[in-house]
Amino acid sequence: MSTTRAVDADFAEIIAPFEREIFAHCYRMMGSVHDAEDLAQETMLRAWRGYARFAGASSVRTWIHKIATNTCLSALESRQRRPLPTGLGAPSTAPDAPLVEQDILWLEPAPDGALGHDDPGDVAESRESVRLAFVAALQLLPPRQRAVLILRDVLAWRAAEVAEATGQSVAAVNSLLQRAREKVAQAAPTREDALEPHSAAERELLARYVDGFERYDIAGLVELFTADAVWEMPPFEGWYSGPENIGELIATQCPATGPGDMLLVPTRANGQPAYGLYMRGEDGRHHPFHLHVVECSGGGVRHVAAFFDTSLFETFGLPPVVDAPTA
């Protein structure tokens, strides 16, 4: 084997365990599955080019995350932040009013498998680091605050390591971290009463949620939402708070008219339950309508982000069309 081939084989073997971790890091930084894929590939290319000069002064994990961080920071110089509607202003007060679409780059959900969180045994801290509300809160931060918070609080780097990776002083890192923590705490509060993922209580609640949509039972759905529940649905700028408002929104804005019009296919996104919602078409088959990411907390459904970007169905490996089950 030539020296070049030996280096390539050595590099591939060393880097392989970190590939999904680097994708997750880029996703937290960018808020986009597609941007994360591109920048994770760019990170690996930069790492491969610099592998011969890697002196081993730090671990491979630290070295590759440093490259990924700076790759993302460079990309963010020319890109807008990706919010959810809840990051744009106050909730809408008229669920029956015409929906207003905003032509901006929105936060995208990410499949659990791509994030490395497809194992039900994943620790809670790992799931929390990709939770949709947390990633959305990160997008409200300036890029360097975002990077510092992720490196310190998600990856548990020392302040000196973060300073070296981002080209700042330790004092500057600590200042950025304090401001970032305050903003994230306001935007993404902790979930002390969250239902345990995959627990019997969560499974029962989600079964009722799916049944409510598939039977078009608005009253039954309203009962499932917590008093402080939030519903948002990019690319529409409005968002809605409270079970009654959410129920009226579904009743007045959803094109379904009765049982059987909607089918929900389960998946998982950002460490949370998610569903591809399919709407029955004129051909009698069900076609992609929007992707739900659901947060269960407080004994009910506390937050739903319904993404109307149907290209996400392919990203999540969901079928392009679904036939109604036969009796």
Side-chain angles (χ1 to χ4, degrees):
M1 182 182 292
S2 69
T3 301
T4 300
R5 288 182 178 178
V7 170
D8 287 349
D10 189 30
F11 173 79
E13 182 178 356
I14 289 174
I15 292 299
F18 304 104
E19 288 181 350
R20 291 206 295 185
E21 190 174 338
I22 291 302
F23 171 84
H25 183 58
C26 294
Y27 172 69
R28 294 185 192 99
M29 287 289 294
M30 307 303 299
S32 163
V33 171
H34 300 96
D35 286 352
E37 289 173 344
D38 292 343
L39 293 172
Q41 291 179 5
E42 177 65 21
T43 294
M44 295 304 173
L45 179 59
R46 292 187 183 189
W48 175 77
R49 288 171 176 168
Y51 180 61
R53 300 188 299 277
F54 175 55
S58 64
S59 68
V60 173
R61 182 173 183 262
T62 299
W63 173 67
I64 195 73
H65 274 89
K66 176 182 176 180
I67 295 173
T69 299
N70 285 287
T71 300
C72 291
L73 286 173
S74 296
L76 286 167
E77 291 176 359
S78 58
R79 304 190 196 192
Q80 299 175 333
R81 68 183 181 93
R82 288 178 172 266
L84 285 176
T86 45
L88 298 181
S92 301
T93 57
D96 58 345
L99 302 176
V100 178
E101 187 171 341
Q102 279 276 18
D103 186 20
I104 63 176
L105 294 175
W106 294 100
L107 175 69
E108 297 172 350
D112 274 16
L115 294 167
H117 296 278
D118 46 357
D119 181 356
D122 285 333
V123 296
E125 291 82 357
S126 182
R127 290 192 302 268
E128 285 296 301
S129 74
V130 294
R131 186 165 61 100
L132 194 66
F134 178 70
V135 177
L138 289 175
Q139 307 314 303
L140 303 179
L141 302 176
R144 290 203 176 273
Q145 281 190 27
R146 196 181 308 175
V148 166
L149 182 71
I150 293 170
L151 294 174
R152 286 286 278 129
D153 287 359
V154 176
L155 300 181
W157 284 21
R158 299 188 304 273
E161 293 176 309
V162 178
E164 193 277 330
T166 58
Q168 301 173 101
S169 68
V170 171
V173 164
N174 289 333
S175 177
L176 288 171
L177 179 62
Q178 181 179 357
R179 296 200 297 272
R181 283 174 173 169
E182 290 173 354
K183 291 180 181 179
V184 168
Q186 295 171 1
T190 57
R191 300 186 305 159
E192 296 178 355
D193 56 352
L195 291 180
E196 183 65 25
H198 309 284
S199 67
E202 186 190 70
R203 290 196 301 271
E204 180 183 356
L205 176 63
L206 293 173
R208 292 173 61 197
Y209 182 81
V210 170
D211 182 65
F213 273 99
E214 294 188 343
R215 291 195 300 110
Y216 198 59
D217 178 8
I218 305 300
L221 285 171
V222 167
E223 292 179 355
L224 301 181
F225 289 102
T226 62
D228 59 348
V230 167
W231 179 287
E232 53 189 329
M233 45 187 189
F236 302 107
E237 66 179 14
W239 61 279
Y240 307 85
S241 180
E244 297 301 329
N245 282 333
I246 294 171
E248 185 177 354
L249 175 77
I250 297 171
T252 59
Q253 305 288 358
C254 179
T257 58
D261 280 352
M262 295 182 282
L263 291 176
L264 274 67
V265 176
T267 183
R268 289 196 63 88
N270 297 76
Q272 300 168 229
Y275 297 91
L277 188 150
Y278 293 76
M279 191 71 65
R280 182 158 51 193
E282 294 182 359
D283 59 359
R285 309 185 77 189
H286 290 76
H287 302 269
F289 190 61
H290 52 58
L291 181 85
H292 287 205
V293 181
V294 182
E295 179 180 315
C296 301
S297 190
V301 175
R302 177 168 287 176
H303 184 272
V304 174
F307 295 87
F308 277 77
D309 179 2
T310 55
S311 70
L312 290 170
F313 281 64
E314 181 178 1
T315 299
F316 278 76
L318 292 166
V321 65
V322 176
D323 291 314
T326 56

